[in-house]
């Protein structure tokens, strides 16, 4: 297990290419989902300095707040509501350049300006979402989508 995260400078691709192996080393062999999600959120927040990074987990037909880094967040999100609920419902990554332009956006923080939500899918079922917010408009792009989708594909949900 890695004890210290080495924060990389450079292009977005270089940062992801340096960060993901470190995250994999941290979560490899650790069976506790909450511990792994906590470390993933912390590593992403530390590397990219995003406004908010965290996970929502599907529980009893709602997305329930899981491990995160950032200010206090919404606790429960219904399927189809906001960016997270829509990504869950559609089982697809959603990038929003300006959250104020997203119909039904749930404003957990007025400082959030752009967002990417990546569903965690196993056996055709969405088990949760990775939600990342930035205080900058238009912050996320296809590069973020590519690397974050690879990252969430490595998260192990035992007994699912």
């Amino acid at each position: 297990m890695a004890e210290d995260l080495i924060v990389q400078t450079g292009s977005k691709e270089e940062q992801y290419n340096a960060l993901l192996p470190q995250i994999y080393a941290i979560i490899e062999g650790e069976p506790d989902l909450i511990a792994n999600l906590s470390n993933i959120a912390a590593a992403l927040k530390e590397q990219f300095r995003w406004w908010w990074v965290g996970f929502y987990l599907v529980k009893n037909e709602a997305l329930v707040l899981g491990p995160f880094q950032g200010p206090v967040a919404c606790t429960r999100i219904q399927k189809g509501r906001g960016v997270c609920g829509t990504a869950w419902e559609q089982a697809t990554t959603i990038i929003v350049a300006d959250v104020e332009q997203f119909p039904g956006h749930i404003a957990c923080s007025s400082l959030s300006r752009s967002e990417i939500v990546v569903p965690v899918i196993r056996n055709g079922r969405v088990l949760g979402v990775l939600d990342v917010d930035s205080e900058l408009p238009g912050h996320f792009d296809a590069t973020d989508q590519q690397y974050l989708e690879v990252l969430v594909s490595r998260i192990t949900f035992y007994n699912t």
Side-chain angles (χ1 to χ4, degrees):
M1 177 179 133
E3 292 184 16
D4 292 316
L5 188 71
I6 299 169
V7 175
Q8 177 72 39
T9 58
S11 72
K12 194 180 281 191
E13 291 87 355
E14 290 168 332
Q15 291 181 60
Y16 277 114
N17 284 324
L19 179 64
L20 293 189
Q22 294 181 79
I23 291 175
Y24 301 151
I26 292 168
I27 66 174
E28 183 179 333
E30 174 52 60
D32 190 274
L33 176 64
I34 300 304
N36 288 336
L37 297 181
S38 297
N39 275 326
I40 291 168
L44 290 169
K45 173 92 165 145
E46 189 170 339
Q47 174 64 51
F48 294 105
R49 303 287 178 213
W50 290 322
W51 176 249
W52 196 92
V53 181
F55 292 89
Y56 284 91
L57 303 174
V58 176
K59 294 183 181 180
N60 300 321
E61 295 306 311
L63 287 173
V64 179
L65 182 64
F68 71 94
Q69 296 280 311
V72 172
C74 300
T75 304
R76 290 182 184 275
I77 299 172
Q78 297 304 310
K79 188 178 251 183
R81 294 210 0 107
V83 183
C84 290
T86 302
W88 172 26
E89 182 177 61
Q90 296 177 2
T92 190
T93 297
I94 298 177
I95 299 173
V96 180
D98 180 354
V99 295
E100 291 185 13
Q101 300 303 311
F102 189 86
H105 176 255
I106 301 169
C108 295
S109 169
S110 62
L111 296 175
S112 175
R113 302 295 300 136
S114 61
E115 186 171 6
I116 183 170
V117 178
V118 181
V120 181
I121 303 170
R122 296 294 177 276
N123 302 319
R125 213 174 86 204
V126 177
L127 301 179
V129 299
L130 168 60
D131 180 20
V132 183
D133 292 30
S134 173
E135 69 280 10
L136 304 172
H139 191 88
F140 303 105
D141 59 22
T143 299
D144 297 296
Q145 178 176 350
Q146 173 190 342
Y147 284 95
L148 293 175
E149 285 177 352
V150 168
L151 174 60
V152 301
S153 75
R154 297 283 298 262
I155 298 170
T156 302
F157 281 71
Y158 292 95
N159 301 320
T160 57

